[in-house]
């Protein structure tokens, strides 16, 4: 009973996280109500994000050029790399403002249940960055998969003489770093412990 294009739009919108059938339909109808100009702007903005946002060639953070603004900043401390799951975690730490080192975005966590092994993550590129590095701070989320990934990285890095530390969690177990407040995140990084 729903016109096919509208149904297809709702189906596409369900690709977004947290959007179920009902919400997708609500959004699809809202798109229908947009003015031509608003709809064009939305399309153009999506296209622009797709073509202009790339992954930093060093750390895999989102970037508008080959090097992200953090890797390009020569005043950052290149002896420390904070390893995170995704770009939103970098943004969270940058908002907290207490970390002055560099980052490495894994692009996920090891999760055998979902068929994600270490080979699917940006780990080999991390191993290629260790020359100047004395400490790797593993800042994966405090979930089962995040902990397993931290253990994997520790086993990989410790024999290379690199100190591997983990965030001190005043962060609740199972929580998402991205939603931690700035004070909690700043404390978590200051109170990090050796693995
Ligand atoms: Zn970068």
């Amino acid at each position: 009973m729903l016109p096919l294009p509208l149904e297809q739009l709702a189906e596409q919108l369900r690709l977004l996280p947290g959007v179920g059938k009902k919400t997708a339909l609500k959004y699809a109808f809202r798109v229908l109500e947009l003015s031509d100009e608003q709809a064009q702007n939305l399309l153009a903005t999506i296209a622009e994000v797709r073509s202009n946002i790339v992954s930093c060639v060093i750390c895999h953070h989102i970037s508008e050029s080959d090097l992200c603004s953090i890797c390009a900043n020569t005043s950052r401390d290149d002896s420390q790399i904070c390893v995170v799951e995704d770009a939103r975690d970098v943004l969270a730490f940058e908002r907290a403002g207490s970390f002055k080192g560099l980052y490495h975005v894994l692009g996920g966590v090891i999760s055998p249940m979902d068929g994600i092994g270490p080979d699917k993550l940006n780990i080999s590129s991390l191993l290629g960055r260790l020359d100047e590095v004395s400490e790797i701070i593993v800042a994966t989320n405090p979930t089962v998969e995040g902990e397993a990934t931290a253990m994997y990285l520790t086993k990989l890095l410790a024999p290379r003489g690199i100190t591997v530390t983990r965030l001190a969690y005043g962060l609740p177990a199972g929580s998402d770093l991205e939603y931690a407040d700035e004070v909690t995140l700043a404390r978590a990084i200051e109170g990090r412990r050796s693995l």
Side-chain angles (χ1 to χ4, degrees), residues 56-61 66-72 103:
C56 171
V57 293
I58 295 178
C59 75
H60 310 282
H61 184 40
D66 281 354
L67 275 192
C68 74
S69 56
I70 299 165
C71 288
Y103 296 94

Side-chain angles (χ1 to χ4, degrees), residues 17 60 78 136-137 187:
H60 310 282
D78 59 5
I136 298 273
I137 301 155
R187 278 193 192 142

